[in-house]
């Protein structure tokens, strides 16, 4: 299982860049990944050759664009093991969670319970808080151990006959922890709850089969999957989408409209009001095609090796606190450096050409759980090399020396 990282790297034009006179070492892919030439070219090609609004024209360009746009739905469906009618385009992972939360929220009553975890991104917390504020539902957060692992027993203990929804991340954007989403889903279903999995990070890490997980909803963003921003996917089981009220109203999501009444289109179009992100959908299709040509298990192995190498080199650094050391985790290193603010660490690393993120990572409950106000985060992607991992560690050692 060998992954040709140099061949893959060559597909990403931005990686040729220099930052402060140093080669760019991009370790912020968990926030947004860089794009291969295939994605850039597919979007440019569409704009240059075949672009119009979808669904509503009888002219050639409108038909070509509609075909290209709907073909991506089939591609996404194949990519995650779904039916194309179960694939809804959104503008990102965040919008997909909001769409589900608002729809399910319509039929929730005061005292109904929603179970989340302490490691959720705000995108999978705030939409449910809206339901606490507006509907009087109760939010419960399953705890995370010191190692950064979800406490499954405690999670099970939170499930009651009032649990209506369980919403859990597949992989934490801070800890890197990969959650046993199939078990989590089974337990939630036994309690009669509907399950949403936030796959924004998880789907990047490993191939996903939504039918094997059996969750009712699975959401992700295009831009972390080497595709463009402005496009997200909501997978919903056909029977769940059929029950879900529409999210936004406008063109394309209706059956008929009259002065007195309206009827809705069938899913997935019922949830896609207005002109959709056409070019972004085409870009996502190109990203999926590109990824399909790679050995994704070899990529996962490559990324795990980078993480292992960095951890090994930093072993024994008593000035370093690593947040999240689960046995099953993706290549994300969240850390604090003694005596230095995470923002300062990130800024100094930037002087060495190393791009990392610093802050709360939109996960304030998790930060509080680990007793920190912020952390720095290096996230590794398929295009990162062992040399880059070493350059990151060298730059981090110099950064620490600066503050010591
Ligand atoms: N969930 C997780 C785990 C994430 O990492 C992110 C992106 N940081 C989101 C949700 C939100 O995705 P987006 O900002 O693309 O809508």
């Amino acid at each position: 299982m060998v992954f040709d990282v140099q061949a893959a790297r060559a597909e990403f034009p931005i990686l040729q860049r220099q930052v402060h006179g140093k080669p760019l070492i991009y370790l912020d892919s968990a926030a947004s990944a860089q794009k291969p030439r295939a994605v850039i070219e597919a979007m440019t090609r569409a704009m240059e050759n075949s672009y119009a609004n979808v669904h509503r024209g009888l002219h050639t360009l409108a038909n070509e664009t509609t075909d290209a746009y709907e073909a991506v739905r089939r591609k996404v469906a194949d990519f995650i093991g779904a039916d194309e009618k179960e694939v809804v385009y959104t503008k990102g992972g965040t919008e997909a969670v909001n769409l589900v939360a608002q729809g399910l929220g319509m039929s929730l009553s005061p005292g109904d319970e929603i179970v989340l975890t302490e490691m959720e991104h705000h995108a999978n917390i705030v939409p449910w808080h809206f339901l606490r504020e507006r509907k009087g539902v109760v939010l419960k957060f399953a705890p995370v151990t010191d190692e950064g692992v979800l406490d499954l027993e405690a999670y099970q203990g939170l499930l009651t006959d009032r649990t209506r929804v369980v919403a859990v991340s597949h992989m934490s954007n801070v800890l890197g922890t990969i959650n046993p989403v199939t078990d989590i889903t089974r337990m939630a279903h036994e309690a009669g709850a509907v399950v949403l999995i936030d796959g924004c990070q998880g789907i990047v890490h490993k191939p996903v089969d939504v039918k094997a997980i059996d969750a009712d909803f699975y959401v992700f963003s295009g831009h972390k999957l080497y595709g463009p921003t402005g496009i997200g996917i909501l997978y919903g089981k056909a029977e769940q989408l059929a029950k879900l009220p529409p999210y936004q109203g406008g063109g394309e999501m209706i059956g008929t409209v009259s002065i007195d009444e309206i009827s809705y289109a069938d899913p997935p179009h019922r949830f896609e009001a207005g002109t959709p992100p056409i070019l972004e959908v085409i870009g996502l299709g190109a990203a999926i095609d590109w990824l399909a040509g790679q050995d994704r298990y070899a990529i996962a192995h490559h990324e795990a090796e980078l993480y292992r190498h960095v951890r090994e080199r930093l072993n024994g650094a008593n000035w370093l606190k690593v947040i999240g050391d689960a046995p099953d985790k993706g290549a994300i290193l969240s850390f604090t450096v003694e005596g230095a603010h995470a923002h300062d660490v990130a800024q100094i690393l930037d002087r060495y050409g190393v791009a990392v993120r610093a802050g709360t990572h939109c996960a304030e409950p998790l930060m509080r759980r680990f007793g920190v106000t912020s952390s720095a985060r290096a996230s590794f992607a398929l295009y990162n090399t062992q040399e880059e991992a070493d350059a990151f560690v060298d730059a981090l050692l110099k950064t620490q020396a600066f503050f010591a």
Side-chain angles (χ1 to χ4, degrees):
M1 218 170 24
V2 178
F3 173 62
D4 187 347
V5 60
Q6 289 304 340
R9 256 183 99 71
E11 304 280 337
F12 291 78
I14 205 169
L15 299 178
Q16 303 308 317
R17 249 204 82 150
Q18 299 229 323
V19 169
H20 299 300
K22 306 265 186 341
L24 167 68
I25 298 175
Y26 189 74
L27 302 182
D28 196 18
S29 298
S32 205
Q34 300 298 350
K35 324 300 173 201
R37 199 171 277 116
V39 170
I40 300 165
E41 287 176 355
M43 293 175 79
T44 308
R45 219 175 19 248
M47 279 185 281
E48 287 181 348
N49 294 310
S50 184
Y51 177 79
N53 210 330
V54 289
H55 296 145
R56 49 186 87 162
L58 289 173
H59 61 81
T60 302
L61 290 191
N63 290 338
E64 283 177 10
T65 310
T66 304
D67 288 349
Y69 173 86
E70 289 297 334
V72 175
R73 207 185 296 273
R74 279 188 291 283
K75 238 174 238 183
V76 172
D78 290 347
F79 188 64
I80 60 174
D83 186 272
E84 64 187 277
K85 291 197 175 60
E86 298 175 312
V87 173
V88 178
Y89 293 133
T90 66
K91 77 175 161 62
T94 301
E95 187 177 61
V97 180
N98 276 277
L99 189 164
V100 174
Q102 289 197 22
L104 294 178
M106 306 272 257
S107 52
L108 296 183
S109 313
D112 281 346
E113 295 170 0
I114 296 178
V115 175
L116 311 171
T117 81
E118 284 182 331
M119 69 171 90
E120 297 314 306
H121 186 281
H122 293 169
N124 197 29
I125 299 177
V126 181
W128 308 109
H129 261 300
F130 285 174
L131 300 185
R132 182 189 56 74
E133 287 183 339
R134 296 169 192 173
K135 290 291 204 168
V137 306
V138 176
L139 302 188
K140 292 176 163 180
F141 289 80
V144 171
T145 67
D146 290 345
E147 226 188 349
V149 176
L150 185 66
D151 183 339
L152 267 192
E153 227 169 276
Y155 157 71
Q156 182 141 42
L158 294 179
L159 299 170
T160 73
D161 59 2
R162 291 303 303 267
T163 311
R164 299 286 175 263
V165 183
V166 168
V168 174
S169 56
H170 194 170
M171 170 172 153
S172 160
N173 64 313
V174 178
L175 306 167
T177 304
I178 296 162
N179 286 316
V181 284
T182 307
D183 293 338
I184 289 169
T185 300
R186 184 180 30 78
M187 290 181 211
H189 282 164
E190 279 163 13
V194 169
V195 179
L196 176 142
I197 302 297
D198 171 0
C200 287
Q201 299 290 342
I203 198 160
V204 186
H205 179 72
K206 259 191 199 155
V208 163
D209 177 349
V210 287
K211 297 290 179 210
I213 296 172
D214 197 32
D216 302 284
F217 300 102
Y218 189 98
V219 311
F220 60 97
S221 301
H223 68 99
K224 296 181 199 279
L225 198 61
Y226 308 99
T229 53
I231 173 68
I233 296 295
L234 165 63
Y235 154 79
K237 280 184 182 168
E239 68 262 30
Q240 291 293 341
L241 290 181
K243 285 191 279 190
L244 204 66
Y247 175 58
Q248 293 184 328
E252 298 306 313
M253 52 76 69
I254 41 84
T256 56
V257 180
S258 74
I259 302 295
D260 304 314
E261 54 184 21
I262 48 172
S263 67
Y264 304 127
D266 289 333
H269 297 105
R270 178 187 299 171
F271 304 102
E272 297 174 358
T275 297
I278 300 164
L279 293 165
E280 290 76 4
V281 165
I282 288 169
L284 175 62
I288 288 175
D289 280 344
W290 188 82
L291 268 177
Q294 309 290 323
D295 180 342
R296 297 201 60 209
Y297 290 99
I299 290 172
H301 179 73
H302 166 72
E303 291 174 358
E305 278 301 301
L306 293 177
Y307 180 79
R308 195 195 49 74
H309 181 68
V310 166
R311 280 300 274 138
E312 210 167 85
R313 277 202 60 198
L314 291 168
N315 217 351
N318 57 5
W319 43 269
L320 187 79
K321 176 176 168 178
V322 173
I323 301 166
D325 239 344
D328 190 11
K329 69 171 279 177
I332 289 180
L333 180 78
S334 284
F335 61 95
T336 59
V337 172
E338 196 175 75
H341 193 283
H343 286 166
D344 295 332
V345 170
Q347 269 174 4
I348 295 184
L349 287 174
D350 181 59
R351 305 302 299 182
Y352 294 102
V354 180
V356 301
R357 184 138 297 240
T360 63
H361 315 292
C362 297
E364 285 183 21
L366 188 68
M367 292 285 123
R368 241 168 255 130
R369 158 68 183 83
F370 282 91
V372 294
T373 51
S374 65
S375 75
R377 179 186 72 186
S379 51
F380 298 87
L382 62 86
Y383 38 65
N384 292 124
T385 63
Q386 173 112 355
E387 293 71 36
E388 288 185 317
D390 276 321
F392 159 64
V393 174
D394 293 343
L396 185 59
L397 294 174
K398 287 184 205 149
T399 304
Q400 189 274 329
F402 179 81
F403 287 104

